Amino acid sequence: MFDFGLKDIVDILIVAVMLYYLYRLMKNSSALSLFYGVLAFTAIWVVTSEILDMRLTGTILDKFMGIGLIVLVIIFQDQIKRFLIDIGTHGRLSNFKKIFRHADKKNSKQHAQVLAVVYACMSMHKSKTGALIAFQRENSLTDYEKTGDEIDADINMRLIENIFFKNSPLHDGAMIIAGGRIASVGCILPVSHKMDIPKHLGLRHRAAVGLTEKTDAVCIVVSEETGNISVTMKGETPRKVDSIELEKFLSDTLYGS
């Protein structure tokens, strides 16, 4: 008979929550099938070693599990990093800080910045000017800022349009906005290798997904071919938005309003 008590129930719930959280992370990456394979192998190992007490098979699988943990850390290093980042940032007291701010003045400035980006994107949408804009949140984007030209400028509609103008030497790279300012332009972002990204989406879209796979940044992409405006976060496939949806997306994800 098993001695099954409250501690065991809590233990099972903790493991279930961890597996669910890992599943959500893997779902946004190309590693989901591999994750299923790891779960199946682990289940077989538990059944043979712990339940059926098959010593020979259990010993062999034990050796694989010992090596496998190191291999899994290498394979899932991006997902593990994202998991730890989310844990580290989730408990921050950012919401309590807002209580002590001059909310009206702050929100007014933030809204003006959002509108400047939205108007610039709508203008580039009409002219089919390609653009990639990344917004820093909790995770620092300093390493990516250093790959471009640091300008530290106010968020301005005309400036954004001029930077992404087709004849501009900086139009091919990404613009990074951090701390309510345009921090750097012409930046190089990591390209996602996810297989489920639609083929009609270009390199800008893959770079946007790649950055949001590795950090908690949010990205806007304006397609040079169609003029469509897309947004992405958490490694998700970019989705098309209109001006109203774009304004709401930026307000909600950046300022929670």
Side-chain angles (χ1 to χ4, degrees), residues 4-203:
F4 194 81
L6 179 61
K7 183 175 67 173
D8 300 296
I9 296 175
V10 173
D11 189 21
I12 293 172
L13 287 175
I14 291 174
V15 173
V17 170
M18 289 178 61
L19 288 176
Y20 174 70
Y21 198 92
L22 287 173
Y23 168 77
R24 289 181 57 187
L25 288 177
M26 299 301 172
K27 188 177 180 181
N28 293 325
S29 71
S30 57
L32 186 58
S33 297
L34 185 58
F35 179 66
Y36 286 143
V38 172
L39 285 182
F41 185 85
T42 304
I44 294 172
W45 173 63
V46 171
V47 170
T48 56
S49 299
E50 302 298 328
I51 299 177
L52 299 180
D53 196 21
M54 300 171 66
R55 296 182 180 179
L56 179 59
T57 305
T59 301
I60 295 174
L61 293 180
D62 283 343
K63 299 297 182 181
F64 277 108
M65 289 299 294
I67 301 173
L69 288 175
I70 300 175
V71 175
L72 288 178
V73 170
I74 297 173
I75 295 176
F76 294 117
Q77 56 181 318
D78 290 337
Q79 287 78 14
I80 293 173
K81 179 181 177 182
R82 182 57 185 271
F83 176 73
L84 295 175
I85 287 173
D86 285 350
I87 292 176
T89 59
H90 185 70
R92 294 188 179 184
L93 302 178
S94 57
N95 291 331
F96 292 98
K97 293 177 183 178
K98 294 179 181 178
I99 298 175
F100 303 99
R101 294 174 181 169
H102 299 288
D104 293 338
K105 183 177 180 180
K106 186 81 173 179
N107 290 341
S108 177
K109 182 178 181 181
Q110 291 171 348
H111 188 245
Q113 293 173 343
V114 168
L115 289 180
V117 175
V118 172
Y119 291 151
C121 289
M122 292 306 298
S123 177
M124 293 186 290
H125 157 73
K126 293 178 181 178
S127 62
K128 292 186 178 181
T129 301
L132 172 53
I133 304 175
F135 294 84
Q136 175 180 295
R137 294 203 290 173
E138 295 288 350
N139 304 153
S140 173
L141 301 181
T142 302
D143 289 342
Y144 302 107
E145 291 174 17
K146 292 178 180 178
T147 64
D149 295 300
E150 299 180 30
I151 61 174
D152 188 28
D154 291 331
I155 299 176
N156 181 279
M157 171 187 170
R158 297 301 179 193
L159 176 59
I160 295 174
E161 289 183 80
N162 288 333
I163 287 173
F164 288 112
F165 181 64
K166 293 181 180 179
N167 291 331
S168 167
L170 301 173
H171 79 281
D172 277 336
M175 172 185 291
I176 295 179
I177 295 179
R181 297 180 66 79
I182 300 175
S184 193
V185 296
C187 302
I188 300 173
L189 303 184
V191 177
S192 173
H193 298 288
K194 289 176 64 175
M195 301 301 294
D196 58 348
I197 298 178
K199 293 183 179 180
H200 68 272
L201 298 180
L203 189 60

Side-chain angles (χ1 to χ4, degrees), residues 190-244:
V191 177
S192 173
H193 298 288
K194 289 176 64 175
M195 301 301 294
D196 58 348
I197 298 178
K199 293 183 179 180
H200 68 272
L201 298 180
L203 189 60
R204 284 191 179 93
H205 295 85
R206 285 193 169 273
V209 175
L211 180 66
T212 60
E213 284 177 337
K214 296 180 179 296
T215 71
D216 66 347
V218 296
C219 291
I220 304 174
V221 182
V222 181
S223 171
E224 191 172 352
E225 288 73 27
T226 64
N228 291 337
I229 302 172
S230 303
V231 295
T232 184
M233 61 187 296
K234 298 180 180 179
E236 298 170 351
T237 299
R239 60 182 178 87
K240 181 182 175 182
V241 295
D242 57 25
S243 58
I244 297 176

